[in-house]
Amino acid sequence: MTRAVHYTATIDLARPMGDRPAGGLSVRAAPEGEHQAGAALLPAERPAAYRVPFEVDRFGAERIELRNASSDVLRWVTIDLMGPGHFVAQTPTRLEPGQVLAVWLFGDDLARQTKVQVTWFFQGAQYLWLVSL
């Protein structure tokens, strides 16, 4: 079997999924004389982001492999399918550097309607990354 396409996450940044208000905005009471619409502010401190630690290899429409391309151990790695279809994966709770997680996908027209959601813990924070098929 030949590898169809090799994708490497080189520009995606992962951010912790910690306690954040909806839309990433904080709200304060408007000072006297200021219109209430001006009360939404960007957060003063954003959690640090880091490069997504995965490389994605695609083997046709039915299988992808996620490789831990970082030098860090990733804990509680889980996979979810967002959209129609279903999958089979032996999800490890720990993904060592260089270790691969294979995911087999089943369904019609997955590339147009479905994404793979990867969730993991790193340095005490939970991260989320969506992979388009």
Side-chain angles (χ1 to χ4, degrees):
M1 180 180 289
T2 59
R3 185 176 302 169
V5 182
H6 176 78
Y7 292 88
T8 303
T10 56
I11 59 171
D12 287 337
L13 296 177
R15 293 198 179 276
M17 293 176 52
D19 299 328
R20 287 185 269 173
L25 297 177
S26 60
V27 179
R28 64 171 170 81
E32 194 171 320
E34 184 179 315
H35 191 272
Q36 186 63 34
L41 300 174
L42 292 176
E45 283 188 38
R46 296 193 72 179
Y50 79 105
R51 190 174 302 274
V52 170
F54 298 103
E55 289 180 353
V56 178
D57 288 328
R58 297 172 194 242
F59 298 88
E62 64 278 343
R63 187 173 124 216
I64 64 171
E65 289 183 353
L66 297 168
R67 176 182 318 281
N68 180 357
S70 73
S71 59
D72 302 312
V73 175
L74 307 174
R75 297 180 187 340
W76 291 99
V77 178
T78 60
I79 301 295
D80 291 302
L81 214 55
M82 310 296 288
H86 57 280
F87 72 99
V88 175
Q90 293 181 341
T91 305
T93 58
R94 177 183 173 108
L95 202 58
E96 298 285 337
Q99 190 175 5
V100 172
L101 170 62
V103 181
W104 287 267
L105 306 162
F106 303 94
D108 295 326
D109 203 16
L110 293 173
R112 292 184 184 206
Q113 302 179 38
T114 306
K115 293 184 189 301
V116 173
Q117 176 180 293
V118 183
T119 308
W120 71 97
F121 279 86
F122 174 66
Q123 294 183 349
Q126 184 178 20
Y127 291 85
L128 169 87
W129 185 49
L130 291 176
V131 179
S132 297
L133 299 177

